[in-house]
mmCIF file of all heavy atoms in Angstrom:
data_model
loop_
_atom_site.group_PDB
_atom_site.id
_atom_site.type_symbol
_atom_site.label_atom_id
_atom_site.label_comp_id
_atom_site.label_asym_id
_atom_site.label_seq_id
_atom_site.Cartn_x
_atom_site.Cartn_y
_atom_site.Cartn_z
ATOM 1 N N PRO B 767 -45.639 3.416 -22.890
ATOM 2 C CA PRO B 767 -46.200 3.903 -21.600
ATOM 3 C C PRO B 767 -45.990 3.008 -20.402
ATOM 4 O O PRO B 767 -45.797 3.474 -19.311
ATOM 5 C CB PRO B 767 -47.740 3.997 -21.926
ATOM 6 C CG PRO B 767 -47.816 4.027 -23.426
ATOM 7 C CD PRO B 767 -46.570 3.340 -23.975
ATOM 8 N N GLY B 768 -45.851 1.690 -20.707
ATOM 9 C CA GLY B 768 -45.678 0.772 -19.582
ATOM 10 C C GLY B 768 -44.261 0.841 -19.100
ATOM 11 O O GLY B 768 -43.921 0.663 -17.946
ATOM 12 N N GLU B 769 -43.261 1.138 -20.004
ATOM 13 C CA GLU B 769 -41.875 1.037 -19.673
ATOM 14 C C GLU B 769 -41.228 2.338 -19.204
ATOM 15 O O GLU B 769 -40.138 2.372 -18.806
ATOM 16 C CB GLU B 769 -41.093 0.588 -20.913
ATOM 17 C CG GLU B 769 -41.498 -0.776 -21.449
ATOM 18 C CD GLU B 769 -40.691 -1.886 -20.913
ATOM 19 O OE1 GLU B 769 -39.453 -1.761 -20.759
ATOM 20 O OE2 GLU B 769 -41.338 -2.916 -20.522
ATOM 21 N N GLY B 770 -41.951 3.404 -19.379
ATOM 22 C CA GLY B 770 -41.462 4.724 -19.084
ATOM 23 C C GLY B 770 -40.678 5.241 -20.275
ATOM 24 O O GLY B 770 -40.816 4.651 -21.355
ATOM 25 N N ARG B 771 -39.868 6.283 -20.102
ATOM 26 C CA ARG B 771 -39.155 6.886 -21.225
ATOM 27 C C ARG B 771 -38.061 5.935 -21.743
ATOM 28 O O ARG B 771 -37.379 5.298 -20.978
ATOM 29 C CB ARG B 771 -38.560 8.279 -20.873
ATOM 30 C CG ARG B 771 -39.570 9.279 -20.511
ATOM 31 C CD ARG B 771 -38.989 10.636 -20.765
ATOM 32 N NE ARG B 771 -39.101 11.045 -22.211
ATOM 33 C CZ ARG B 771 -38.778 12.280 -22.615
ATOM 34 N NH1 ARG B 771 -38.401 13.078 -21.819
ATOM 35 N NH2 ARG B 771 -38.819 12.494 -23.946
ATOM 36 N N ALA B 772 -37.963 5.971 -23.023
ATOM 37 C CA ALA B 772 -36.837 5.183 -23.633
ATOM 38 C C ALA B 772 -35.547 5.790 -23.262
ATOM 39 O O ALA B 772 -35.445 7.020 -23.058
ATOM 40 C CB ALA B 772 -37.079 5.108 -25.133
ATOM 41 N N PRO B 773 -34.505 5.030 -23.008
ATOM 42 C CA PRO B 773 -33.238 5.536 -22.575
ATOM 43 C C PRO B 773 -32.543 6.451 -23.706
ATOM 44 O O PRO B 773 -32.728 6.181 -24.912
ATOM 45 C CB PRO B 773 -32.318 4.343 -22.293
ATOM 46 C CG PRO B 773 -32.952 3.208 -23.156
ATOM 47 C CD PRO B 773 -34.416 3.546 -23.232
ATOM 48 N N LEU B 774 -31.937 7.531 -23.179
ATOM 49 C CA LEU B 774 -31.243 8.439 -24.091
ATOM 50 C C LEU B 774 -29.999 7.905 -24.588
ATOM 51 O O LEU B 774 -29.633 7.895 -25.772
ATOM 52 C CB LEU B 774 -30.941 9.724 -23.336
ATOM 53 C CG LEU B 774 -30.672 10.969 -24.063
ATOM 54 C CD1 LEU B 774 -31.801 11.262 -25.024
ATOM 55 C CD2 LEU B 774 -30.439 12.078 -23.066
ATOM 56 N N ILE B 775 -29.281 7.140 -23.740
ATOM 57 C CA ILE B 775 -28.060 6.521 -24.100
ATOM 58 C C ILE B 775 -28.329 4.981 -24.133
ATOM 59 O O ILE B 775 -28.809 4.495 -23.157
ATOM 60 C CB ILE B 775 -26.919 6.766 -23.041
ATOM 61 C CG1 ILE B 775 -26.735 8.300 -22.807
ATOM 62 C CG2 ILE B 775 -25.597 6.124 -23.440
ATOM 63 C CD1 ILE B 775 -26.265 8.986 -24.077
ATOM 64 N N THR B 776 -28.003 4.252 -25.198
ATOM 65 C CA THR B 776 -28.477 2.918 -25.319
ATOM 66 C C THR B 776 -27.288 1.972 -25.053
ATOM 67 O O THR B 776 -26.147 2.368 -25.014
ATOM 68 C CB THR B 776 -29.039 2.598 -26.707
ATOM 69 O OG1 THR B 776 -28.050 3.012 -27.676
ATOM 70 C CG2 THR B 776 -30.327 3.410 -26.888
ATOM 71 N N GLY B 777 -27.523 0.692 -24.882
ATOM 72 C CA GLY B 777 -26.536 -0.352 -24.743
ATOM 73 C C GLY B 777 -26.020 -0.543 -23.355
ATOM 74 O O GLY B 777 -24.897 -1.073 -23.144
ATOM 75 N N ALA B 778 -26.842 -0.186 -22.343
ATOM 76 C CA ALA B 778 -26.456 -0.409 -20.945
ATOM 77 C C ALA B 778 -25.038 -0.005 -20.571
ATOM 78 O O ALA B 778 -24.228 -0.763 -20.163
ATOM 79 C CB ALA B 778 -26.679 -1.945 -20.559
ATOM 80 N N GLN B 779 -24.795 1.271 -20.838
ATOM 81 C CA GLN B 779 -23.406 1.739 -20.668
ATOM 82 C C GLN B 779 -23.095 1.916 -19.217
ATOM 83 O O GLN B 779 -23.904 2.275 -18.393
ATOM 84 C CB GLN B 779 -23.250 3.105 -21.361
ATOM 85 C CG GLN B 779 -23.635 3.135 -22.828
ATOM 86 C CD GLN B 779 -22.680 2.303 -23.620
ATOM 87 O OE1 GLN B 779 -21.584 2.014 -23.288
ATOM 88 N NE2 GLN B 779 -23.236 1.805 -24.796
ATOM 89 N N THR B 780 -21.742 1.706 -18.908
ATOM 90 C CA THR B 780 -21.239 2.109 -17.570
ATOM 91 C C THR B 780 -20.311 3.339 -17.836
ATOM 92 O O THR B 780 -20.035 3.702 -18.988
ATOM 93 C CB THR B 780 -20.426 0.979 -17.017
ATOM 94 O OG1 THR B 780 -19.252 0.782 -17.766
ATOM 95 C CG2 THR B 780 -21.211 -0.339 -16.956
ATOM 96 N N PHE B 781 -19.774 3.872 -16.678
ATOM 97 C CA PHE B 781 -18.886 5.062 -16.874
ATOM 98 C C PHE B 781 -17.713 4.592 -17.724
ATOM 99 O O PHE B 781 -17.272 5.350 -18.604
ATOM 100 C CB PHE B 781 -18.365 5.533 -15.475
ATOM 101 C CG PHE B 781 -19.521 6.016 -14.574
ATOM 102 C CD1 PHE B 781 -19.582 5.573 -13.252
ATOM 103 C CD2 PHE B 781 -20.441 6.831 -15.083
ATOM 104 C CE1 PHE B 781 -20.565 6.022 -12.442
ATOM 105 C CE2 PHE B 781 -21.477 7.285 -14.219
ATOM 106 C CZ PHE B 781 -21.579 6.900 -12.936
ATOM 107 N N HIS B 782 -17.193 3.431 -17.431
ATOM 108 C CA HIS B 782 -15.978 2.989 -18.114
ATOM 109 C C HIS B 782 -16.246 2.759 -19.684
ATOM 110 O O HIS B 782 -15.428 3.064 -20.519
ATOM 111 C CB HIS B 782 -15.460 1.741 -17.535
ATOM 112 C CG HIS B 782 -14.106 1.325 -18.082
ATOM 113 N ND1 HIS B 782 -12.956 2.126 -17.957
ATOM 114 C CD2 HIS B 782 -13.757 0.294 -18.780
ATOM 115 C CE1 HIS B 782 -11.990 1.600 -18.590
ATOM 116 N NE2 HIS B 782 -12.384 0.446 -19.037
ATOM 117 N N THR B 783 -17.375 2.185 -19.985
ATOM 118 C CA THR B 783 -17.567 1.951 -21.453
ATOM 119 C C THR B 783 -17.804 3.264 -22.161
ATOM 120 O O THR B 783 -17.430 3.357 -23.388
ATOM 121 C CB THR B 783 -18.886 1.089 -21.671
ATOM 122 O OG1 THR B 783 -19.967 1.674 -21.017
ATOM 123 C CG2 THR B 783 -18.630 -0.294 -21.168
ATOM 124 N N VAL B 784 -18.385 4.270 -21.566
ATOM 125 C CA VAL B 784 -18.533 5.575 -22.177
ATOM 126 C C VAL B 784 -17.129 6.060 -22.526
ATOM 127 O O VAL B 784 -16.836 6.630 -23.584
ATOM 128 C CB VAL B 784 -19.359 6.523 -21.340
ATOM 129 C CG1 VAL B 784 -19.287 7.944 -21.900
ATOM 130 C CG2 VAL B 784 -20.779 6.074 -21.218
#
Side-chain angles (χ1 to χ4, degrees):
Chain B
E769 302 268 317
R771 293 206 81 173
L774 200 53
I775 306 295
T776 56
Q779 304 296 335
T780 65
F781 298 135
H782 187 62
T783 57
V784 171

